[in-house]
């Protein structure tokens, strides 16, 4: 890198890439002041030069030849997404001591350690703040601001689409299909909403957060993941009646000698700070030995907000490079293992549809007791669809005291086998 000019190759010109191109172009002089060297956008690698873009840079900048663009750059900003060719291109850039900024959560959740190692070996810097929770500064605080502390737990709402959906269900009593259609209409959810709704997007982010928070190497496969597609309007209403709200939570916490990482719908008390995260916003709640409780809140997606995180990484690494000095150090020296769900201790709410006859309630309570699961509250109601009939259905909603996931699972398995239990309608964790 020369002292006066920092040549930037931008890979990708989608929603975020277009905004990064805009900022690099329009704010060039101010960025130069902040960095101590002038950033020069030397090219934008795209699949098709003719695609309409949110921001149109000079025509001559667009190219389909990413490899030669990388070879001419000092810094590569990778915003293409997906595993390949992004991984090969980043490894190629790092090996040639070109600093890299990436927002590619899927790639970093799958191969983050390998990319970090490649950066360390070559002396290039590699930053990826935009990969988790859009504009929210969370990775740098974990790697840098909290580097002298001991993080014990990270609890977050890391997917805006599902938060929008659950928030709408909570606010209006709307059902799942209605809010999913609304999320798709507003452009939050894709036509195929699987990655958001089934928790895969949040799981990738949780793996990255856990790696940084606990100085170890975790991948998306280490995350126990359950999405929100089974959450019904009845679950949301029942939670509200008990003073809770359902959120899709990402939880990363120390578990003995390892770390438990999970994404699942959970009830949280309305008084918890995460309960007040509405619409498509994200928030990450960090608990640490010395700092105590910290919450980071903001837009978790969108072109300009995510570009803000990309630009923060860019300015930071460009400034460090101009001034000299090492990048942020490696994160996996502790080498902790990911742990299973069995020992996770939590409260749960269990919804049951049962035969309404003498002794059924006692039998159900007994199953919980036999498995060592203590009941905190129990509500029984007539089954809604059958109120006007003589019907023999009742719905029961049980909230347990703290219990291990293993005991809860064996309880559910036995309940499911009872002829008087027609259906286990929901099993949701209660957090906080
Ligand atoms: N689809 C994600 C969300 C945004 O809904 O939060 C990108 O990670």
């Amino acid at each position: 890198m020369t002292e006066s000019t920092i040549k930037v190759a931008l890979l990708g010109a989608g929603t975020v890439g277009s905004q990064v191109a805009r900022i690099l172009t329009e704010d060039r002089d101010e960025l130069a002041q902040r960095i101590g060297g002038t950033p020069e956008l030397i090219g934008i690698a795209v699949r098709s030069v003719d695609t309409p873009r949110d921001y149109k840079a000079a025509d001559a900048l667009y190219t389909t030849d990413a490899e030669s663009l990388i070879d001419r750059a000092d810094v590569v900003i990778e915003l293409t997404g997906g595993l390949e060719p992004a991984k090969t291109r980043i490894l190629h850039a790092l090996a040639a001591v070109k600093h890299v900024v990436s927002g590619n959560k899927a790639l970093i959740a799958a191969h983050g350690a390998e990319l970090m190692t490649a950066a360390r070996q070559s002396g290039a810097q590699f930053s990826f703040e935009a990969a988790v929770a859009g504009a929210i500064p969370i990775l740098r605080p974990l790697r840098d601001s909290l580097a002298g502390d001991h993080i014990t737990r990270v609890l977050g709402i890391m997917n805006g689409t599902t938060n929008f959906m659950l928030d709408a269900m909570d606010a209006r009593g709307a059902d799942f299909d209605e809010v999913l259609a609304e999320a798709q209409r507003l452009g939050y959810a894709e036509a195929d909403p699987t990655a958001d709704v089934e928790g895969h997007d949040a799981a990738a982010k949780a793996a990255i957060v856990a790696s940084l928070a606990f100085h170890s190497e975790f991948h998306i496969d280490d995350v126990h993941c359950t999405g929100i597609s089974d959450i019904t309007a009845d679950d949301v209403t029942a939670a509200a009646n008990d003073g809770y709200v359902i959120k899709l939570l990402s939880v990363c916490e120390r578990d003995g000698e390892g770390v438990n990482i999970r994404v699942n719908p959970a009830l949280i008390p309305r008084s918890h700070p995460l309960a007040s995260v509405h619409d498509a916003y994200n928030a990450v709640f960090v608990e640490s030995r010395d700092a105590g409780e910290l919450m980071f809140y903001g837009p978790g997606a969108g072109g300009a907000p995510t570009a803000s995180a990309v630009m923060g990484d860019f300015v930071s690494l460009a400034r460090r490079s101009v001034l000299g000095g090492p990048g942020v150090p490696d994160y996996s020296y502790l080498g902790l293992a990911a742990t299973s769900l069995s020992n996770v201790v939590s409260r749960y709410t269990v919804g049951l549809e049962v035969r309404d006859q003498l002794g059924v309630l006692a039998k159900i309570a007994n199953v919980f007791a036999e498995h060592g699961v203590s009941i905190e509250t129990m509500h029984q109601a007539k089954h809604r669809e059958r109120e006007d009939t003589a019907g023999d259905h009742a719905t029961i909603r049980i909230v347990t005291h703290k219990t291990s996931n293993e005991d809860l699972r064996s309880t559910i398995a036995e309940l499911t086998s009872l002829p008087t239990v027609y259906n286990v309608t929901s099993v949701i964790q209660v957090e906080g």
Side-chain angles (χ1 to χ4, degrees):
M1 185 178 290
T2 65
E3 268 200 2
S4 56
T5 304
I6 299 137
K7 288 184 257 164
V8 184
L10 176 59
L11 312 185
T15 311
V16 180
S18 289
Q19 294 304 315
V20 169
R22 173 184 63 78
I23 297 166
L24 281 168
T25 307
E26 293 178 354
D27 292 353
R28 189 178 113 122
D29 295 343
E30 192 167 1
L31 291 167
Q33 296 291 326
R34 296 182 188 182
I35 292 166
T38 305
E40 185 195 344
L41 180 57
I42 60 164
I44 306 172
V46 291
R47 264 201 297 257
S48 163
V49 171
D50 301 324
T51 306
R53 322 246 172 233
D54 296 343
Y55 171 83
K56 189 82 174 76
D59 284 343
L61 289 177
Y62 293 94
T63 174
T64 54
D65 185 356
E67 279 67 28
S68 71
L69 178 61
I70 292 169
D71 287 340
R72 290 186 284 122
D74 299 312
V75 175
V76 175
I77 300 180
E78 186 277 314
L79 297 170
T80 50
L83 300 187
E84 287 293 356
K87 183 184 172 198
T88 301
R89 288 173 177 169
I90 291 176
L91 286 173
H92 173 77
L94 292 172
V97 203
K98 292 158 193 307
H99 308 300
V100 175
V101 177
S102 173
N104 190 332
K105 67 181 162 277
L107 176 62
I108 294 154
H111 301 291
E114 184 183 346
L115 298 171
M116 297 287 291
T117 301
R120 195 183 58 242
Q121 284 170 347
S122 76
Q125 301 174 65
F126 178 51
S127 307
F128 41 90
E129 182 65 68
V132 176
I136 302 176
I138 180 61
L139 301 189
R140 200 187 319 250
L142 291 176
R143 295 173 87 182
D144 207 350
S145 320
L146 292 165
D149 205 338
H150 293 260
I151 291 167
T152 49
R153 187 158 86 132
V154 182
L155 195 64
I157 294 169
M158 299 185 190
N159 182 270
T161 304
T162 47
N163 199 59
F164 171 85
M165 291 170 63
L166 291 170
D167 191 45
M169 290 171 81
D170 182 57
R172 307 200 307 262
D175 69 23
F176 181 88
D177 291 336
E178 182 186 336
V179 295
L180 175 56
E182 192 177 347
Q184 285 172 320
R185 205 165 50 246
L186 292 171
Y188 293 130
E190 304 286 336
D192 176 1
T194 311
D196 290 319
V197 164
E198 298 303 341
H200 306 156
D201 174 82
K205 294 166 181 169
I208 297 169
V209 164
S211 298
L212 298 180
F214 299 104
H215 310 284
S216 299
E217 187 183 327
F218 298 112
H219 303 104
I220 188 165
D221 296 343
D222 293 318
V223 183
H224 307 286
C225 180
T226 308
I228 66 163
S229 52
D230 289 338
I231 299 294
T232 63
D234 282 349
D235 293 327
V236 174
T237 304
N241 290 341
D242 288 341
Y244 291 93
V245 59
I246 299 181
K247 297 288 190 189
L248 182 66
L249 285 192
S250 304
V251 182
C252 318
E253 64 186 357
R254 277 304 291 259
D255 176 18
E257 292 303 303
V259 176
N260 197 269
I261 317 164
R262 54 191 189 273
V263 169
N264 52 249
L267 275 71
I268 54 173
R270 288 209 181 252
S271 55
H272 193 282
L274 288 176
S276 58
V277 177
H278 297 294
D279 297 320
Y281 279 84
N282 283 195
V284 185
F285 196 77
V286 178
E287 299 171 3
S288 74
R289 187 191 68 184
D290 298 317
E293 296 178 345
L294 305 164
M295 186 152 124
F296 302 81
Y297 168 86
T306 309
S308 164
V310 171
M311 290 307 298
D313 274 351
F314 168 70
V315 170
S316 174
L317 68 74
R319 189 194 290 139
R320 209 180 295 125
S321 180
V322 167
L323 296 175
V328 179
D330 200 355
Y331 63 69
S332 61
Y333 69 92
L334 268 186
L336 299 175
T339 65
S340 88
L341 272 185
S342 308
N343 294 331
V344 170
V345 172
S346 178
R347 293 159 68 221
Y348 290 87
T349 168
V350 178
L352 302 169
E353 193 184 322
V354 302
R355 187 181 299 163
D356 189 3
Q357 89 182 21
L358 185 69
V360 168
L361 205 54
K363 174 68 185 154
I364 288 167
N366 202 36
V367 171
F368 278 80
E370 279 168 1
H371 291 271
V373 179
S374 172
I375 293 173
E376 185 182 289
T377 60
M378 185 185 249
H379 298 288
Q380 180 173 331
K382 269 187 184 173
H383 190 267
R384 217 169 47 175
E385 269 106 60
R386 300 187 177 225
E387 265 169 5
D388 56 349
T389 70
D392 68 345
H393 276 49
T395 56
I396 295 177
R397 196 162 284 272
I398 289 164
V399 179
T400 72
H401 284 291
K402 280 190 170 178
T403 180
S404 76
N405 186 276
E406 192 170 17
D407 289 344
L408 193 271
R409 276 173 196 276
S410 59
T411 306
I412 300 300
E414 187 169 344
L415 288 172
T416 308
S417 72
L418 293 180
T420 48
V421 173
Y422 294 131
N423 197 6
V424 178
T425 53
S426 63
V427 180
I428 311 175
Q429 204 179 334
V430 182
E431 280 288 354

